[in-house]
Amino acid sequence: MHIGRIRLPHEVSASIVAFATVFLLMSPLKMPTWAIFITWAGTFLQGGPSRSNAIAMVTATTTGAGFGVVAVLLNRQTGTMFGTGAFAQTLALAVVVFVVNGTLLTTGRLKPFALIPGMFFGFASLFATYFGGFGYDAGHLDAAFVSAAAMCALGPLCASLGLRLMFTPPPKEKQYETEGVTPSASETHA
């Protein structure tokens, strides 16, 4: 008996994957799961899940998170270089952002880092994780980097899983037909 492939709507399959990620928010992990959704969407903006798109996204987001770490460290060192008032500290932060942003964009001219929006996904995810108190060791910059980079890396994987959940595998007869092999009598009656 041949049953056609069952199609699960992408809205349902993607929601199943999203449902599973929510548990990463629980203590003690308290991971920034929203970063998964940012890179999940970014994966589809790249044209959909593929190995090359995943590599580009993970490279870009990890690099961007690294630039976020540099920005935080530079701001710690230079945050009061113009004084301790609110305007002076804001000006110091603006200088840091100018330098780091320009360096990030220049890095994007190199082919391995050409997915510049992905670098900004990682950059923003690092800031939100660190300053939002997320990650397995909230308030620690190294833990924020690992947490943000890991969650960003899960986005392309979740995009791929969502698509894989949409379809059931083809029946055995169909697999044989596509491979050009005829099943034996014992296999067809199993």
Side-chain angles (χ1 to χ4, degrees), residues 73-143:
L73 293 174
L74 283 174
N75 190 56
R76 283 182 187 171
Q77 297 302 312
T78 63
T80 57
M81 69 181 173
F82 298 121
T84 57
F87 181 77
Q89 289 182 348
T90 301
L91 180 59
L93 177 60
V95 170
V96 167
V97 168
F98 177 83
V99 170
V100 173
N101 188 67
T103 306
L104 182 150
L105 289 168
T106 302
T107 302
R109 292 176 182 253
L110 302 171
K111 188 172 181 166
F113 308 103
L115 187 60
I116 293 172
M119 285 199 284
F120 280 100
F121 296 162
F123 190 85
S125 292
L126 179 279
F127 279 153
T129 301
Y130 180 65
F131 292 111
F134 288 91
Y136 64 88
D137 196 5
H140 290 89
L141 190 54
D142 55 346

Side-chain angles (χ1 to χ4, degrees), residues 172-173 176 181-190:
K172 273 198 179 219
E173 300 94 45
Y176 285 118
V181 177
T182 307
S184 68
S186 62
E187 288 177 306
T188 57
H189 298 292

